[in-house]
Amino acid sequence: MRTRRLSTMPFFIIGILFLILFGTIAWGVFFESGWVTSFDLSWIERIQGSVSEGKTSFIMKITELGNMKLVIVLTIIIAIVLFFKRKYAEGLWFGGTILFCAAIGGKILKKVFDRDRPAFLQLIEKTNESFPSGHATATTIFYGLIGLVLVLAATEVWKKFVVGFITLAWIGFILITRIYLGVHFPTDVIGGFLYGIAAILLSMGVYLVVQEPLRNLLRKFKLNDQSETFERSRG
């Protein structure tokens, strides 16, 4: 994982903007605003308007690729691989982002909002809190982190565009499956997406700030970190 001459400010600024957008959606959901209800009903009708047995069977399999449990398992595997390669700082950053932002942060938000699931056509059964979508949060942060690193590491503009497009298309598809299956309102998945993007960008900004102190700390524990750390420019 490598890129060069990154400034922290764009990550913090854009991350905060996405956090504000999440807050706007969350405010409407918490106070059950009319625009939230209208928006949700409109898009549920559109997305669930063409339900079929074959499509449902396919989507039920694909949607599990955004399952929080699977994401945690994949994160552990990636962290172990990074540690094996002595990329301790990157492993801690990647694993810590998933743990604190996706798993813990997402769960806390669900408890705070305690929103009921849609009472419409549910093609699979889910009973826990609805907002923000755990699938949307986990999918956005996990695949978004990988996509962001690849975009930053790419040297050609067209490669950055292709990787960014594929990443967003994949995340968007997983999000739509949750609405199709009737287990989330559209604002649930949008909220999870906005929160996830904010978490990714803010996490990257924090990592750029603490990368050198972290590497110095690792040296005190006799861990020769070989992370190809992101170089940070001033600003």
Side-chain angles (χ1 to χ4, degrees):
M1 293 194 292
R2 188 175 185 179
T3 188
R4 291 184 175 278
R5 300 182 65 181
L6 296 178
S7 172
T8 60
M9 289 307 297
F11 293 103
F12 285 123
I13 292 173
I14 301 174
I16 290 172
L17 289 176
F18 271 93
L19 202 58
I20 292 172
L21 291 174
F22 167 75
T24 302
I25 298 290
W27 179 276
V29 168
F30 188 81
F31 290 102
E32 300 179 347
S33 300
W35 67 268
V36 169
T37 302
S38 298
F39 180 86
D40 283 337
L41 292 178
S42 173
W43 281 99
I44 287 175
E45 183 178 354
R46 296 180 187 182
I47 295 174
Q48 285 197 318
S50 58
V51 172
S52 67
E53 184 176 346
K55 184 188 297 184
T56 301
S57 177
F58 172 74
I59 286 178
M60 286 176 64
K61 294 180 177 66
I62 294 297
T63 193
E64 289 307 308
L65 294 175
N67 185 286
M68 182 70 77
K69 293 179 181 178
L70 176 61
V71 164
I72 290 174
V73 171
L74 293 176
T75 299
I76 292 173
I77 293 173
I78 291 175
I80 290 174
V81 171
L82 290 173
F83 288 165
F84 182 76
K85 293 184 176 182
R86 298 184 180 181
K87 300 177 184 292
Y88 306 113
E90 291 177 355
L92 290 171
W93 165 65
F94 189 88
T97 302
I98 300 298
L99 174 62
F100 292 105
C101 297
I104 297 177
K107 189 64 176 179
I108 291 174
L109 288 171
K110 278 181 172 288
K111 293 296 183 182
V112 168
F113 291 96
D114 194 26
R115 189 186 196 186
D116 292 333
R117 297 271 179 174
F120 305 108
L121 177 61
Q122 280 201 12
L123 302 179
I124 57 175
E125 185 177 352
K126 292 289 183 179
T127 57
N128 61 342
E129 301 87 353
S130 186
F131 181 89
S133 164
H135 265 71
T137 301
T139 297
T140 302
I141 295 179
F142 179 76
Y143 295 107
L145 270 179
I146 295 174
L148 177 62
V149 170
L150 293 176
V151 166
L152 294 175
T155 53
E156 292 87 351
V157 175
W158 71 268
K159 289 183 179 179
K160 293 179 183 289
F161 176 81
V162 170
V163 171
F165 176 80
I166 292 174
T167 301
L168 289 175
W170 173 247
I171 292 172
F173 178 69
I174 295 294
L175 268 55
I176 291 174
T177 66
R178 307 310 290 169
I179 304 170
Y180 175 90
L181 294 172
V183 293
H184 278 295
F185 293 103
T187 46
D188 292 337
V189 299
I190 292 174
F193 173 78
L194 294 174
Y195 167 73
I197 294 295
I200 291 170
L201 296 173
L202 294 175
S203 173
M204 176 64 81
V206 170
Y207 179 68
L208 291 174
V209 172
V210 306
Q211 60 177 332
E212 284 307 318
L214 178 58
R215 297 188 75 189
N216 292 333
L217 178 63
L218 290 169
R219 291 190 189 99
K220 292 182 180 180
F221 288 94
K222 308 300 182 182
L223 295 174
N224 181 25
D225 181 61
Q226 296 182 9
S227 297
E228 295 174 322
T229 52
F230 301 96
E231 294 185 2
R232 178 168 66 92
S233 64
R234 295 183 180 180

